Amino acid sequence: MADIHHIRNPVEWAWDHVTDAATSVASLGHVLMGSAKARNAPLPIVRRIGLADLRDALAKGVDDFEAYRSDVIFLFLIYPVIGLVLAWLTIGNNVLPLLFPLASGFALLGPVAAIGLYEMSRRREQSATVNWADAFGVTRSPAFGAMLLLGIGLLGIFLLWLAAAYAIFHVTVGPEQPASIAAFARDVFTTTPGWWMIAAGMGAGFLFAVLVLTISVVSFPLLLDRDVGLYRAVITSVRAVAKNPGTMAAWGFIVACGLAIGSLPAFIGLIVVLPILGHATWHLYRKVVV
């Protein structure tokens, strides 16, 4: 046993730090590029799909939801609570202009929220027993570090969206904060600056949504399915969108409409909408990536 009172000399100290640095570099390399086998393999093959594939993916998503309804409802009960807390914070802290951007932010962070659902659908494909605890099995995945890093990236995009939305409000309707919800609604829907804010906000939101869709539509499921690394997963997602622009645009529209409907009333519908879309995204990945 090593002497706990041993004082390391400068050579030992330097060697330990070099070893730790090498381990960190190797871990970072695995996160970014995947396993050694994946680095030497060609990029995953991307298929061309159509609207019929989207319908089938949604049907399979509904089927997965029905199979694990009680489990996923238990997991997603927190989202209405989060939505209501965010609404209360924006109203209580006089930042009403951020209420809609925060609500629509579910579309930007949805891929992260659905990781556990991908795992449940993956395990069901393997005829394994599945319950709500299996959603946390992603933490044992070799690619969990890559998924975590991609999730942090999406969080950064979400924060940029909030900053852009507030800047648009400041330039158009602002800079004064609205006195009430009624006053804010009147400024937005009955004045020219309000309509400019709506147009600019929708345009900016569309760009952020396209960015998130492009880099994440198949990257999270791919990382869960194969240890390919963050770089290859994102590149494959971009290729999938580039090869299926119309179909992926339709998928983005379905997701946006589903989340909008699920947010009303009081975000309660997200308990059903998010699980269905999450399971369906796994089956969409299966159709796109070979």
Side-chain angles (χ1 to χ4, degrees):
M1 179 182 294
D3 185 359
I4 61 174
H5 299 294
H6 173 68
I7 300 176
R8 295 179 300 169
N9 60 50
V11 174
E12 291 175 324
W13 183 88
W15 176 254
D16 287 346
H17 280 71
V18 168
T19 302
D20 291 343
T23 301
S24 298
V25 170
S27 299
L28 180 60
H30 181 267
V31 167
L32 296 178
M33 302 304 296
S35 64
K37 180 180 179 181
R39 296 175 202 176
N40 297 322
L43 288 171
I45 299 172
V46 172
R47 288 194 186 110
R48 190 179 298 280
I49 60 173
L51 296 180
D53 295 296
L54 297 188
R55 288 193 293 270
D56 188 56
L58 281 170
K60 290 180 177 178
V62 172
D63 187 55
D64 284 352
F65 173 71
E66 291 178 344
Y68 308 118
R69 183 182 305 153
S70 59
D71 293 303
V72 297
I73 286 178
F74 171 76
L75 286 171
F76 282 86
L77 278 173
I78 189 174
Y79 285 96
V81 177
I82 292 174
L84 291 174
V85 169
L86 290 175
W88 176 77
L89 288 174
T90 56
I91 296 172
N93 290 282
N94 204 25
V95 282
L96 274 174
L98 291 182
L99 180 58
F100 176 76
L102 281 169
S104 60
F106 279 110
L108 302 182
L109 297 177
V112 181
I115 293 176
L117 298 169
Y118 306 153
E119 174 66 6
M120 295 177 75
S121 291
R122 186 184 73 87
R123 289 178 61 83
R124 190 185 187 202
E125 281 185 352
Q126 300 171 350
S127 301
T129 302
V130 181
N131 57 46
W132 66 268
D134 293 310
F136 297 97
V138 296
T139 58
R140 297 188 296 271
S141 169
F144 180 69
M147 288 187 281
L148 181 62
L149 190 57
L150 182 56
I152 292 172
L154 294 190
L155 177 60
I157 293 173
F158 172 67
L159 295 177
L160 286 175
W161 156 238
L162 292 182
Y166 195 79
I168 290 170
F169 161 78
H170 190 276
V171 171
T172 54
V173 176
E176 294 81 8
Q177 291 291 325
S180 64
I181 295 178
F184 181 58
R186 183 175 60 251
D187 290 341
V188 170
F189 295 109
T190 65
T191 67
T192 300
W195 285 107
W196 276 113
M197 187 188 77
I198 292 173
M202 291 181 65
F206 173 78
L207 294 178
F208 278 103
V210 168
L211 173 61
V212 169
L213 176 72
T214 301
I215 66 176
S216 69
V217 64
V218 300
S219 53
F220 280 110
L222 177 57
L223 285 168
L224 185 61
D225 192 37
R226 312 177 199 178
D227 190 11
V228 297
L230 180 59
Y231 171 78
R232 286 171 173 263
V234 172
I235 289 298
T236 301
S237 187
V238 172
R239 290 170 54 230
V241 173
K243 193 163 187 176
N244 302 279
T247 306
M248 288 301 179
W251 177 248
F253 180 75
I254 291 170
V255 171
C257 290
L259 293 177
I261 295 171
S263 297
L264 300 172
F267 304 98
I268 294 175
L270 292 176
I271 298 174
V272 174
V273 171
L274 275 174
I276 291 176
L277 291 177
H279 288 305
T281 299
W282 171 263
H283 296 290
L284 178 65
Y285 153 73
R286 282 298 198 202
K287 292 178 177 295
V288 176
V289 179
V290 178

